[in-house]
Amino acid sequence: MYNVMIVDDEPVIRFGLKASVDWTKEGLHYVGDYPNGEEALKAAEGLTIDLLITDIKMPVMDGLILMKEMLQRFPRLKVILVSSYTDFDYVREGLQLGAVDYVLKPTLEPEEFTKLIQKCVEMIKMDRMVEEKLALVNQTTLIREQKGLEHVIKKVILEDSSLDELHRKVGWLKAPFLLLTMTLNHNDKLEEQYGFLYKTMILEDVQNYFYKNIDEGICFSVNENQMFFLLNTKVDPYVDIERLKKVLEQETNSSFTVGFEMINDLFSVKEGFEKSRLASGRRFFHPNESIFRYESFQEGKLTSLDIKWLHQILLPYDKQGLLEFLRKRFQEWESKMALPMEIKNDACEIFGHLFMKQLELDELMEKYKQIKKIETLEGVRKTLLLQIENYAELSYHKHHHPHGDNAIMQKALDFIHGHYTEELTLQLVSSHVHISRNYFSVLFKRFIGENFIDYVMNLRIQKAKELLENTSMRVYEVAEQSGFNDVKYFSKLFKKLTGSSPIDFRSRSQSPL
């Protein structure tokens, strides 16, 4: 609704003007009525006034001065002057200043006054429409410029293309430049709970929010859990980063780590991006911090694994010897401060020697992928220690129940198909079949050929398809009945997996051939 106020020094006139129009029906919010211009200006503080109905001659501040003051505050303001027969010279001046029209007090008719109000409302609507169209044109032009620069930066960073095109595309963005690598935290938990595609949708939400709300800069995903940002900064970069990080975390209900570097020339963008990426990786050693500026440091080099000693404690299996071996290796990881990926590769090598005879090659490679996704040094330590328990369990099952896995999986699948529309986790199902969560994860992938959560999500999507085809349930009801507690996530995932929104899918499936 648009705001309107009445200003006249005669109470009877103010009352008559107010009573002659159904303001709400005309799409107007009646702010109030005031005896002079000074009081009206005070009342307008903190508001946007769209329509001013004012007398011309008043004490303290007259209507023409009020009109000038109001137009300075609200350039799109519509003004109706209220005058007597003797005010015509003032009326002429008011019309020259931009008043829409005037009404005469002695001959004021409610019907004519209402028509004049309606005319002003239409003019206000037209102004708003023009403003919105201009804003849309400006936003479209800006986004086109941002996307053009994004394309060039991507080619420079990811494809090692020439830098020649950069300066032609970046005239609208001024130095100094702030380069950020923003990494999504807790990826393993997100994948386990929602599946792989959920992370992609979070990064898409980040990019959509950025281009809708931030004019100066670009952003794009560089892998499944990282975004790159190029921004202009005019203040302390930590202030800008903290503000951006906070709003994106609120918008996506997620947690991020940010690494950053400052550059003064875009010819350094590739090097700056790599530094911001390395800075983001420092969370591996400092999990309680979330913003890191690049600092040059000397990475340590790990000593080669003593494979002979490792095999001696595995054949025969010596659990205490293995724990002592790992304890010493963990100490070296921490003291050498090697690159996170080198530590993860070291962990994969230990894991490979530990499970080479227990797992198939594809299962072993899947475990390597999982280790390389671990986000902290403590996480890598815990994972390897947990594998010691799995080692004993796998060995026991292999020698004592060579055919028992079929029965375990059948029992697990029966449970999954009976409960997939409820809250269902890997831990819940593994507890039901009385084996460890990690061993069940290996077993499930071996038998089914896909991860547990992806299997469950596909069951839920199939259920949703059936409900959309055969019932008139609303989309949020379909989501709930299919096992999704977030209708927004359900709609996005449904479209990702089927190529159609739930509503479009229903329309096509229920329309006659």
Side-chain angles (χ1 to χ4, degrees), residues 170-364:
V170 80
W172 52 275
L173 189 61
K174 305 300 181 185
F177 302 108
L178 177 60
L179 307 182
L180 313 180
T181 295
M182 186 174 284
T183 305
L184 184 62
N185 297 333
H186 313 305
N187 285 274
D188 53 343
K189 292 180 181 177
L190 291 174
E191 279 195 42
E192 182 177 320
Q193 188 171 358
Y194 300 109
F196 175 79
L197 286 174
Y198 187 71
K199 297 188 300 182
T200 305
M201 289 188 282
I202 290 176
L203 298 190
E204 287 175 355
D205 286 345
V206 167
Q207 189 174 40
N208 290 337
Y209 178 87
F210 182 89
Y211 282 127
K212 283 181 182 176
N213 296 278
I214 297 177
D215 295 338
E216 294 189 349
I218 62 167
C219 79
F220 54 86
S221 59
V222 290
N223 56 41
E224 66 188 46
N225 65 337
Q226 284 187 325
M227 299 286 294
F228 173 70
F229 295 77
L230 187 151
L231 304 164
N232 168 256
T233 184
K234 300 179 180 66
V235 295
D236 179 353
Y238 283 95
V239 174
D240 281 343
I241 293 169
E242 189 62 56
R243 186 185 299 122
L244 177 64
K245 178 175 174 291
K246 182 178 180 181
V247 72
L248 291 177
E249 287 179 337
Q250 290 174 342
E251 189 71 18
T252 61
N253 194 30
S254 303
S255 168
F256 297 98
T257 295
V258 179
F260 76 96
E261 175 64 331
M262 301 285 297
I263 61 173
N264 290 309
D265 193 309
L266 281 179
F267 282 114
S268 305
V269 69
K270 186 175 178 66
E271 180 186 357
F273 164 69
E274 182 60 22
K275 287 180 176 179
S276 74
R277 189 186 64 79
L278 289 171
S280 178
R282 300 312 293 168
R283 177 175 175 266
F284 186 78
F285 298 103
H286 308 282
N288 295 323
E289 299 177 35
S290 61
I291 299 176
F292 301 89
R293 182 164 191 169
Y294 176 79
E295 294 178 5
S296 180
F297 59 92
Q298 187 67 39
E299 299 95 359
K301 287 291 181 183
L302 300 176
T303 58
S304 299
L305 278 175
D306 189 341
I307 304 302
K308 184 178 179 180
W309 171 245
L310 183 57
H311 284 176
Q312 284 178 353
I313 57 180
L314 291 178
L315 295 170
Y317 177 53
D318 176 3
K319 182 176 180 179
Q320 291 306 315
L322 181 58
L323 286 172
E324 179 61 20
F325 172 85
L326 290 177
R327 185 186 65 78
K328 291 179 179 178
R329 201 63 183 175
F330 294 162
Q331 285 179 342
E332 184 174 350
W333 286 355
E334 196 155 7
S335 62
K336 292 289 182 66
M337 291 288 283
L339 286 173
M341 190 50 68
E342 186 179 356
I343 292 174
K344 292 177 187 180
N345 287 338
D346 196 56
C348 287
E349 189 175 357
I350 295 171
F351 184 87
H353 288 289
L354 192 61
F355 284 94
M356 194 174 294
K357 295 183 179 180
Q358 272 75 21
L359 298 177
E360 300 293 333
L361 180 60
D362 58 337
E363 295 168 344
L364 204 58

